Structures are given as C-alpha cells and as structure tokens.
Amino acid sequence: MSTVSIPASIPSVAEDCEQLHKAFEGWGTNEALIISILAHRNAAQRKIIRETYAATYGEDLLKSLDKELSSDFERSVLLWTLDPAERDAQLAHEALRKGNVGHYVLAEIACTRSPHELFLVRQAYHARFKRSVEEDVAYSITGKERQLLVLLLTAFRYDGAEVNMNLANSEAKILHKCVSDKEYENEDLIRILTTRSKAQLSATLNHFNDQVGNPINKDLKADPNDPYLTLLRAVIKCLTCPEKYFAKVLRLAINRLGTDEEALTRVVVTRADVDMKNIKEEYYRRNSVPLDKAIRGDTSGDYERMLIALIGGEDA
Amino acid sequence: MSTVSIPASIPSVAEDCEQLHKAFEGWGTNEALIISILAHRNAAQRKIIRETYAATYGEDLLKSLDKELSSDFERSVLLWTLDPAERDAQLAHEALRKGNVGHYVLAEIACTRSPHELFLVRQAYHARFKRSVEEDVAYSITGKERQLLVLLLTAFRYDGAEVNMNLANSEAKILHKCVSDKEYENEDLIRILTTRSKAQLSATLNHFNDQVGNPINKDLKADPNDPYLTLLRAVIKCLTCPEKYFAKVLRLAINRLGTDEEALTRVVVTRADVDMKNIKEEYYRRNSVPLDKAIRGDTSGDYERMLIALIGGEDA
C-alpha cells in the first residue's frame, strides 16, 4: 500500500507546471511549493507533468530541479520525479561502482520489482546507457556474486499463484542438502533461487522451515560477515518478505553514526507508492518507534520534509 | 526478406474464414484451399483470421485444423498459423525433451530472434505453460549446456548499432586466450557470447579473425563431435550469420537418409516471413541446388505444396 497522499481534486497539469516554474523563479527557490506538488502526485501524474513542463518551458523538469536544488533534497526530488523504470535503471547503473553495497541494490531491484517491472527497467537501461544491464553487471562484477546477480536480473519469473507442492517439498530437500554441505554456490541452489516464481519459492522455503525446524536464512548465517552469504540472505528476504527487508535497510540507514542518506532516499522514493505502508508497520513492529519519528530525528530541512511527505507523515 | 507472397488484394477476413470453414466441410478436406489462404497471409493477418474464426464458428482454428489434417502437413500448417511468439514458446517446450537436438532449437530461438521478440516468447511461455522458459531449461538440462542456454534465453541484448572498437579488440584477445587454453567454459567467454549486442559481438569476432588469422569457429572445432563445442559454434553462427546457420540446418535435414521433417518444417515456418530469401540465396551458394528443388526432391503431397508456398517456389 502506498503512503503518497494525492489530493481528491488536483490542479490541472498546466497549473502544476506553472506553479513548479514559479517555484524556480526569483531570488530563492520555493522548496515547499515543489514538495507540495511533486510529493503528492503518482507516477503517471508525474510523468505527464514532466512531459507538459518540457513542452511548455523547453527544458526538462529534471534539469530545472537539478539547477535549483542541492544535496540530499535534490537527490530525493530527482529520483522521485523520474519514471520508476528509469529510476531503477539509474540506481542499477550507479550500483555498479559501489562494490558490495551496490550488490544489494542490484539484488533489491531484481527481486522486489514484479517480473514485468524488471523488464521495463532493462528496457530503460538500454535506452539510457546503450548497453544491457546484465552486460554491465557481468563485466563489472566478478567472483561468485557475478553469476547470482546476472541470473537474478535477467530472470522473468512466472508470476502466477500456482504452486506445485511436490516440487516445493523436493526442492526444500535440495536446499537443505546444499546448506548442510555448505555448498552455497551449488547450481541447484542458484537455479531454485533465480528461476522459481515467488509463490513457488515461498512454498519451498516454508517446506524447508518445516523439515529443518528453522528458516533457511538462519543456516545462511554460518559466517555472518561473509558478503556472499549476506547477499544470499538479502535475496531471499527480497523475494519472500520485501517489507522486512526494506524495514531493515531503513533501520541500518538510520541507526548508525551518520545517516546513510543514499539508502534512506532510495528506499523511500522507490517504495513510497508501492508498499511503504507495510514497511512502516514492519518498522514499528521491529523497532517500537514510528518510521516518521525515526526519520525526523535523523534528517532536517527540505530533505526531511520531502521524505515525511512521501511516507505520509502528519505534516505531509 | 520474406518469401511469403501476399496477394495485392486479399479477401476480407470474414471471407477467408468462410473459405477455411468450407475447406473442412463434407467428405474430404480441401487442403489446397487451406494452403491458398493461410500460406499467403502474414502473421498479423493470420492472427485476425484466427480471432475472427473463433468468434464466428466457436472453435479455435487450430483445433479445426488439428481435426482435419495429419502428419507433417498438419504440423507445418499448425505451426505456421500460430503467432510467432506462441510458436517459439511451443518449440522451446518441445525442445526440452529432445536432448542435444533440443539444445540447438533453444539456442536458435535465443539467438536468431530480436531481443524484443525473445521477450515476447518468454511472455508466451508464461501464458501457455505457467512457468518461465528459463525455469524449465534450468530444471531439465544439466551439465555445461545448462548455464549457456539459460544465459542465452534470458538475455535482453542491447540492439543498437553502436560498437566500441577498443572493447572489441580487448575482448577478441580474451576469446583467443580462452580457445588457445581450451577453456571453453571460461566465464568471460560465456559472458561475452551471452551479453554483448550482436553488433558488438560481430566486431569482436572480426577482430578475432584479424588477430588470429581464422574465424573463432575454426578453433572451436578442436573436437568436432563434442556436443558442447558444436552448440557453441551454432550459437556463434546464429548470432552473427543466421542465414548461414539456417541454410546448414536445411542442408542437414534434407541430405540424409530419411528427411528430418521436424527441422525442415521448423526452419521454413519460422523463417519464411523473416529472412527466407537470404537463406535461399545462401543455400544455393553453398549447395548449387535451389532450395525449392531440394525440398521437392525430398517431400511430397500437401506437405511439399505447403513448404514450397512458404518459401515462394514457382507453383506457390
């Protein structure tokens, strides 16, 4: 469920564009006006605003925003304004130069978007970078993460609800054997994680839990700091309980010395109009602090106001 | 270039459907009438005919054809009438149970269709089989062919014409090192073949030829009967010179003891309205016999008439 509040009666697109253009004029920029418009329009509405703005003022809205805004606030507004598939293509491209941290971003995009959305990201990547995302991932990333990430990003999983219980049972046993033998790169383990539908995989992991007595992620903590195992656990969480994964990313971004604004912005802008309501619930359940309070405590100014507007905080 | 001849003025869809329905009535089936309609309509026209036929007569045209026709003629008409993406999904599914022979079919679909067409095949596979094609391939095929075929089928290659010549040069060297060391499963070799755009790959293989003095496929003939190497050579031909690949498949299907109707039908129905003109030219160049003559020599009856109609033979 989305946390983006869209007014019951919104101004015309032309009016929105005019207001945005006004916000850029004169001595200072009117950040509050920008937030009051963009943070309260859905992806389809933002797309039309961007098209109409370009047609009216002869400049890409993103470019105008880029000129007027700065720092974390700028990044949050720019990413939010982008079409979701273009945004993911850009995040994936940036992730290539970020080592282990980037691997999570790639896994997150591959595993928490719907199969069709992931394909749109691949199309947007073509259009923007003149290469395929798997081409760049396979070229830039080495080691055991390479194969896993390429297979995750290129998957077009079946997304129906049908589940084969016999298969779930037998593949749970395969997974158990792999983790018992510490064969974390076993090709059947990789095959199951990278090709099965999310519904089928959830059934398999439930069988695993029943057979073994604990969730697979516990067994994948054999060496808690091994980056490959950490990535595997993130993949499984992204595929089966994305709200828990994102709540944890937010917790880690906030509860550290110096906020990780990059992760905070990424999760808020990519999930606000998807499942931020569930993420907020999960965050509160796990941390006993409401997410908006946590964000307010760690951010300030227009950046804070933008994030709070997107997650549907009271002063939004 | 297509070899399917479409009359300058075609009857209305309703008329086509009525004629087809008539062809099924009475004591015998009018095969000539079926060929005269279906073999002379393009994919978009056949699609509308199929929809209109179902709406008019309450039965899928494929089902009516299935009841009335038989043997190789039936298979050629059914496959031809299917939407190209559905047809490829079906061919891919059948290929899973055919061992080495099936591997070529899968590689052919992955490598000779455009990136977008390949994605449509994956969508059609979901719709028809309630699983993803990579899921079934990874599950059914083992050994070194598995990884190669999964990566080929899941690729969404960039399809622009841009070529990076420095990259082509350096990757030609990587390929040369791999084949010199007989490391045919080297992950860089697989990466280059499965992710680079066709334009980039052609440039790389031209560099290889310049640097080494022979095409890479010569070096991949170290053991001419090794099935994995044979598959690698087919992949490279499919990606860089599909008309040569298909001309060879046709030659092998025809010039053997007992025609390989399955391969013959597959190549004719999948290429007739794509690049059959080029394949015919290549076939003649290589065999000094026109393809239609070769097909006439090896087939008969309605099956012969259907194939000849599709490849634009004189009595079509």
Side-chain angles (χ1 to χ4, degrees):
Chain A
M1 289 278 290
S2 166
T3 50
V4 178
S5 65
I6 296 162
S9 110
I10 55 165
S12 71
V13 178
E15 248 175 288
D16 274 350
C17 290
E18 202 188 318
Q19 291 297 307
L20 284 168
H21 195 245
K22 266 193 192 152
F24 304 143
E25 278 175 343
W27 285 98
T29 304
N30 189 341
E31 286 86 359
L33 183 57
I34 295 171
I35 296 174
S36 76
I37 299 170
L38 290 177
H40 298 282
R41 301 291 181 272
N42 66 28
Q45 291 163 339
R46 298 193 305 275
K47 190 173 172 178
I48 302 178
I49 289 175
R50 202 176 145 197
E51 287 164 2
T52 308
Y53 187 95
T56 312
Y57 301 106
E59 183 171 76
D60 188 345
L61 175 58
L62 291 177
K63 196 154 186 193
S64 303
L65 290 165
D66 181 40
K67 281 193 229 162
E68 298 292 330
L69 312 180
S70 64
S71 183
D72 296 320
F73 176 56
E74 173 184 0
R75 184 169 163 84
S76 66
V77 175
L78 288 179
L79 283 178
W80 172 248
T81 306
L82 274 172
D83 175 73
E86 287 180 82
R87 181 205 293 147
D88 281 346
Q90 184 179 320
L91 291 170
H93 190 254
E94 291 171 3
L96 294 172
R97 292 182 303 276
K98 292 193 174 153
N100 281 342
V101 173
H103 299 171
Y104 298 110
V105 179
L106 292 165
E108 188 180 299
I109 292 171
C111 301
T112 67
R113 278 49 164 170
S114 76
H116 189 71
E117 285 166 351
L118 178 57
F119 180 69
L120 295 179
V121 175
R122 298 173 75 188
Q123 280 192 306
Y125 199 99
H126 274 204
R128 174 82 186 276
F129 302 109
K130 309 285 174 203
R131 288 187 302 277
S132 72
V133 64
E134 65 266 28
E135 182 175 3
D136 283 355
V137 167
Y139 185 68
S140 317
I141 295 174
T142 53
K144 34 195 174 178
E145 284 83 3
R146 162 147 80 182
Q147 190 202 6
L148 178 64
L149 290 171
V150 166
L151 291 170
L152 290 171
L153 283 161
T154 56
F156 180 59
R157 296 174 196 264
Y158 177 64
D159 54 1
E162 297 89 341
V163 167
N164 179 334
M165 280 299 178
N166 289 332
L167 188 69
N169 189 36
S170 66
E171 295 197 334
K173 288 186 181 127
I174 295 176
L175 292 179
H176 185 213
K177 177 150 175 38
C178 293
V179 297
S180 301
D181 298 349
K182 298 193 188 299
E183 285 197 0
Y184 307 118
E185 291 170 73
N186 177 288
E187 53 180 342
D188 275 315
L189 180 143
I190 302 294
R191 171 183 65 76
I192 293 166
L193 292 184
T194 59
T195 67
R196 293 302 184 195
S197 75
K198 292 183 188 182
Q200 181 68 37
L201 195 58
S202 288
T204 300
L205 295 177
N206 283 333
H207 273 277
F208 184 100
N209 207 338
D210 294 344
Q211 288 167 16
V212 182
N214 62 256
I216 190 169
N217 268 7
K218 205 187 153 203
D219 291 328
L220 292 174
K221 263 195 181 151
D223 177 357
N225 296 318
D226 179 272
Y228 176 73
L229 286 187
T230 313
L231 182 62
L232 271 189
R233 294 197 303 273
V235 164
I236 289 168
K237 282 182 100 170
C238 283
L239 289 167
T240 56
C241 48
E243 68 286 354
K244 287 195 186 173
Y245 167 83
F246 285 117
K248 186 172 175 187
V249 174
L250 288 172
R251 179 163 59 85
L252 294 176
I254 294 171
N255 296 348
R256 47 173 261 173
L257 202 64
T259 311
D260 179 355
E261 284 86 4
E262 206 163 284
L264 177 57
T265 301
R266 185 183 80 244
V267 174
V268 170
V269 300
T270 60
R271 310 314 293 178
D273 53 0
V274 183
D275 54 1
M276 185 51 81
K277 245 187 190 133
N278 313 349
I279 297 171
K280 277 169 80 175
E281 283 166 17
E282 178 61 29
Y283 189 92
Y284 184 71
R285 212 186 55 72
R286 176 68 180 71
N287 303 288
S288 308
V289 177
L291 179 60
D292 57 338
K293 200 176 164 196
I295 290 180
R296 277 184 226 269
D298 246 30
T299 58
S300 64
D302 298 317
Y303 179 52
E304 174 188 347
R305 283 184 278 277
M306 178 70 185
L307 297 185
I308 296 296
L310 292 177
I311 69 162
E314 284 175 327
D315 68 354
Chain B
M1 288 281 289
S2 165
T3 50
V4 178
S5 65
I6 297 162
S9 108
I10 54 165
S12 71
V13 179
E15 249 174 288
D16 274 351
C17 290
E18 202 188 317
Q19 290 297 307
L20 285 168
H21 196 245
K22 267 194 192 152
F24 304 142
E25 280 175 340
W27 284 99
T29 304
N30 189 342
E31 286 85 0
L33 184 56
I34 294 171
I35 295 175
S36 77
I37 298 171
L38 289 177
H40 298 281
R41 302 290 182 270
N42 66 29
Q45 291 163 340
R46 299 194 304 275
K47 190 173 166 74
I48 302 178
I49 289 175
R50 204 176 144 197
E51 287 164 2
T52 308
Y53 187 94
T56 312
Y57 302 106
E59 183 171 76
D60 188 345
L61 175 59
L62 291 177
K63 197 156 186 192
S64 304
L65 290 164
D66 181 40
K67 281 194 230 162
E68 299 292 331
L69 313 180
S70 64
S71 184
D72 296 321
F73 176 56
E74 173 184 2
R75 183 168 165 84
S76 67
V77 175
L78 289 179
L79 283 178
W80 172 248
T81 306
L82 273 172
D83 175 73
E86 288 180 81
R87 181 205 295 146
D88 281 346
Q90 184 178 319
L91 291 171
H93 190 254
E94 291 171 3
L96 294 173
R97 292 182 303 276
K98 291 192 175 155
N100 282 341
V101 173
H103 299 169
Y104 298 111
V105 179
L106 292 166
E108 188 180 300
I109 292 171
C111 300
T112 67
R113 278 48 163 170
S114 75
H116 189 70
E117 285 166 352
L118 177 57
F119 179 69
L120 295 178
V121 176
R122 298 173 75 189
Q123 281 192 306
Y125 199 99
H126 273 203
R128 175 80 186 278
F129 303 109
K130 309 285 173 202
R131 287 187 304 276
S132 72
V133 64
E134 66 266 28
E135 183 175 3
D136 283 355
V137 167
Y139 185 68
S140 318
I141 295 174
T142 54
K144 35 196 174 178
E145 283 83 3
R146 161 147 81 180
Q147 189 202 7
L148 178 64
L149 290 171
V150 166
L151 290 170
L152 290 171
L153 283 161
T154 56
F156 179 59
R157 296 174 197 264
Y158 178 64
D159 55 0
E162 297 89 341
V163 167
N164 178 334
M165 279 299 178
N166 289 332
L167 188 70
N169 189 38
S170 64
E171 294 198 333
K173 287 185 183 129
I174 294 175
L175 292 178
H176 185 215
K177 176 150 177 37
C178 292
V179 297
S180 300
D181 297 349
K182 299 194 189 298
E183 285 196 1
Y184 306 119
E185 292 170 74
N186 177 288
E187 53 180 345
D188 275 317
L189 180 143
I190 302 294
R191 171 182 65 77
I192 293 166
L193 292 184
T194 59
T195 68
R196 293 302 184 195
S197 75
K198 293 182 186 179
Q200 181 68 37
L201 195 58
S202 288
T204 299
L205 295 177
N206 283 333
H207 273 277
F208 183 101
N209 207 339
D210 295 344
Q211 288 167 17
V212 181
N214 61 258
I216 191 169
N217 269 5
K218 206 186 152 203
D219 290 328
L220 293 174
K221 263 194 182 152
D223 177 357
N225 295 320
D226 177 88
Y228 176 72
L229 286 186
T230 313
L231 183 62
L232 271 188
R233 293 197 303 273
V235 164
I236 289 167
K237 281 183 103 168
C238 284
L239 289 167
T240 56
C241 49
E243 69 286 355
K244 287 194 186 174
Y245 167 82
F246 285 117
K248 187 174 174 186
V249 174
L250 288 171
R251 179 164 59 85
L252 295 176
I254 294 170
N255 296 349
R256 46 174 260 169
L257 203 62
T259 311
D260 178 355
E261 284 87 3
E262 204 162 287
L264 178 56
T265 301
R266 184 182 82 244
V267 174
V268 170
V269 299
T270 60
R271 310 314 293 179
D273 53 1
V274 183
D275 55 1
M276 185 51 83
K277 246 189 187 133
N278 313 348
I279 296 171
K280 278 169 80 175
E281 283 165 19
E282 178 61 29
Y283 189 94
Y284 184 71
R285 212 186 55 73
R286 176 67 180 73
N287 303 289
S288 308
V289 177
L291 179 60
D292 58 337
K293 199 174 164 198
I295 290 179
R296 279 184 224 268
D298 247 29
T299 57
S300 64
D302 297 317
Y303 179 53
E304 173 188 348
R305 282 184 279 276
M306 178 69 185
L307 297 185
I308 296 297
L310 291 177
I311 70 162
E314 283 174 330
D315 68 354

